[in-house]
Amino acid sequence: MKIGIDTFACDGGKSGVGIYLSQFLKRIPPSDALFELFGWEYDRYAFSEEAPNFQFISRCRISGRTANSLWHLFKYPKFAKKRLFDACFFPAAHRRPPYKSPCPTIGVVHDMAAFWGTRRTREELGAVLRMVIPNSLRRLDRIIAVSEWVKQELVEGAHVRENRIEVVPNGIDHSAFYPRPRNDEVLLIQPFSFRRPYVLYVSRIDHPVKNHVRLIEAFGIFKERTKYPHRLVIAGEDRTNAFKVKEAAAASPYRGDIFFTGHFPSTSLPELYSAADFAVFPSMYEGFGMGALEAMACGVPVICARAASLPEAADHAALYFDPFNAEDMADRMVTVTTNHEINRECRLLGIERAQAFSWDRCVERTLQIIHETAAR
C-alpha cells in the first residue's frame, strides 16, 4: 500500500497545522504501507527530522497560495496517478484540497475561518477559492474534523455529508507540556528575558479575528483596577493587520507593560506558559483551541472567550468571557488573580482536562481511517 502525504500549506512546521503534521509523521509506526511526502522544496528540510526515512518529492516551484491552489486543481491528479498512490492524505485540506483525484482522498480540516463571520472579520480568500474549496471538500472520500465545532461548520456551511466526517481531536505533547517550578522572578529564554508576573497570549497576530485589540483594552482595565505589576506578553508572528494591534498597544496608557515577542520558538513554549500567572485566549474564532490546552497542561489557569470551539476544548476547566466585551474579559482577569481558590481550581481542573488529549490516540485513529479508505 502506497500513501501520499501532502505537506503544502503546513507552514514548514511552524503553525498549528505544521505541528499537527510533525506529530503525525513521527508517530507513524513501521508497517507494510509506503509513505511518500510531496510539497515545496523547503518542506523537505522542515519535516526531515520527523520523517527521515520517507521519500520526499518536490513539486510546485512557484510559491504563493493562488499558484499552489492551481497546482492542486490541475496538476495534482496527473502527479498522483504517476506515483501510483493507493490513497492521498491532506493534513491541511481546509487550505489545499484537491478537486479531483485518481485515488481515494482523506483530508483534515482544522478550521473554516476563511468562511466564518462577516466580510470584514474573516480571512481574505478570494472569490474563486471561496467557491472552489467547499466543492473540493465535498469531493474528499473522508474528512477528519479536529472538533465537533468544525464538523458542524462543514455540514452546515460547506454542505458536506455528515457520514463522511469523523471528529478526531488533536493531541497534546505531554512530554513537553507539563507543570514546572515557578521560582525565579526573571525567565530567561534566549534571546528573551521575561520579568514575572505576566499574562500570556500565544497566537499569531491576526486582526480582528484573534481579538488582540480588545485584550489590550481589557489589560488596561485590569491594571487600572488592581494596580498589579503584571505585564502582558503577546507571543506570535505578525499576520493580517498586525499594525493595528501594535497601534492599539502604543496608544495604551500601559504600553510599557506590553511585550511582543514575534514568532516564538515552539521548543521553548512550555517554559513560557509555565511561568505565566495565567493565560488568556480572547480569539473570536478557533477550530480547536490548542493553546488553551497547552497552557492547562503546564498547570496555568486559563481564561478564554466563549466562542467557536474554545468551550468544547477547555470544557469546565476555564473561566469564560464575552469576546466582544473588554469589561467582561477584564473581570475574569481580576477574578483569576485575586481569588486564590478559583485560581487553584482552574490549575487542577486544567491539568486534568489536558490529559484527555493525546497525539498517540489522534495518530492511531487517523492512520486507521487512512488505511480503511485506501483499502476500499
Side-chain angles (χ1 to χ4, degrees):
M1 185 177 291
K2 189 176 182 181
I3 310 296
I5 300 178
D6 184 324
T7 66
F8 287 114
C10 292
D11 305 315
K14 294 181 179 179
S15 66
V17 181
I19 290 170
Y20 174 94
L21 179 55
S22 296
Q23 294 291 340
F24 176 80
L25 291 174
K26 68 184 182 181
R27 283 174 169 79
I28 296 178
S31 67
D32 295 334
L34 173 65
F35 290 89
E36 285 188 357
L37 279 61
F38 60 93
W40 277 304
E41 178 62 23
Y42 63 77
D43 284 341
R44 180 191 304 275
Y45 310 102
F47 300 105
S48 60
E49 185 176 340
E50 290 80 7
N53 299 318
F54 294 172
Q55 182 176 358
F56 184 92
I57 306 164
S58 177
R59 281 293 178 271
C60 192
R61 295 183 180 181
I62 303 174
S63 61
R65 181 172 60 188
T66 301
N68 192 236
S69 297
L70 291 173
W71 184 89
H72 281 80
L73 284 172
F74 300 112
K75 294 191 175 183
Y76 158 76
K78 183 182 294 186
F79 167 74
K81 185 176 182 179
K82 182 178 179 180
R83 299 306 303 173
L84 300 175
F85 291 146
D86 292 292
C88 207
F89 179 55
F90 296 85
H94 58 300
R95 297 177 178 176
R96 301 290 192 278
Y99 188 70
K100 294 181 180 180
S101 179
C103 62
T105 51
I106 308 95
V108 183
V109 176
H110 296 265
D111 64 62
M112 293 293 285
F115 300 88
W116 165 85
T118 66
R119 187 173 182 178
R120 186 182 68 84
T121 60
R122 69 193 179 203
E123 176 186 337
E124 177 57 38
L125 191 61
V128 174
L129 291 180
R130 189 167 298 283
M131 291 187 294
V132 168
I133 287 180
N135 195 12
S136 297
L137 290 173
R138 290 192 291 271
R139 289 170 171 264
L140 292 171
D141 292 278
R142 297 286 294 277
I143 292 180
I144 295 170
V146 299
S147 65
E148 291 290 346
W149 171 267
V150 171
K151 178 180 178 179
Q152 180 182 348
E153 288 194 305
L154 284 165
V155 172
E156 297 179 358
H159 307 295
V160 177
R161 291 203 303 269
E162 188 172 359
N163 62 2
R164 288 167 54 202
I165 308 170
E166 180 169 337
V167 176
V168 181
N170 291 337
I172 300 295
D173 184 357
H174 294 285
S175 67
F177 294 93
Y178 57 85
R180 287 167 166 78
R182 293 155 46 88
N183 300 323
D184 295 334
E185 182 181 352
V186 178
L187 175 68
L188 296 174
I189 302 176
Q190 296 297 334
F192 304 104
S193 173
F194 304 96
R195 184 172 295 278
R196 299 184 55 226
Y198 63 82
V199 180
L200 178 64
Y201 181 27
V202 177
S203 171
R204 70 180 186 271
I205 302 179
D206 192 345
H207 177 78
V209 66
K210 296 300 183 179
N211 215 14
H212 287 85
V213 171
R214 284 197 186 89
L215 171 60
I216 290 168
E217 181 183 352
F219 177 69
I221 297 170
F222 164 78
K223 293 280 285 185
E224 182 64 30
R225 288 185 189 174
T226 64
K227 311 300 182 185
Y228 284 174
H230 289 67
R231 296 166 178 81
L232 173 61
V233 175
I234 297 174
E237 65 181 356
D238 289 0
R239 292 283 187 89
T240 308
N241 294 321
F243 72 94
K244 293 186 178 181
V245 177
K246 304 290 180 66
E247 287 176 350
S252 169
Y254 300 97
R255 54 187 171 271
D257 289 327
I258 302 174
F259 183 58
F260 293 90
T261 71
H263 173 71
F264 198 82
S266 58
T267 53
S268 299
L269 268 179
E271 295 176 75
L272 186 66
Y273 276 125
S274 295
D277 265 31
F278 64 92
V280 57
F281 296 91
S283 177
M284 294 182 284
Y285 185 96
E286 292 290 342
F288 179 69
M290 178 73 76
L293 290 168
E294 288 175 342
M296 288 179 176
C298 292
V300 175
V302 167
I303 66 172
C304 61
R306 190 174 293 280
S309 68
L310 285 169
E312 180 184 341
D315 197 39
H316 62 289
L319 298 182
Y320 293 97
F321 54 81
D322 178 354
F324 298 96
N325 188 328
E327 288 277 353
D328 195 32
M329 196 186 312
D331 284 344
R332 302 303 177 274
M333 295 170 79
V334 171
T335 298
V336 81
T337 50
T338 59
N339 190 317
H340 299 299
E341 183 177 343
I342 289 178
N343 184 292
R344 180 177 179 275
E345 185 178 15
C346 283
R347 288 180 186 274
L348 296 177
L349 289 176
I351 293 171
E352 180 183 352
R353 177 60 178 165
Q355 291 297 320
F357 297 88
S358 161
W359 279 120
D360 288 336
R361 288 195 296 271
C362 170
V363 174
E364 180 182 10
R365 181 55 191 147
T366 300
L367 286 170
Q368 288 175 352
I369 293 171
I370 291 172
H371 288 301
E372 289 168 5
T373 307
R376 288 180 178 178

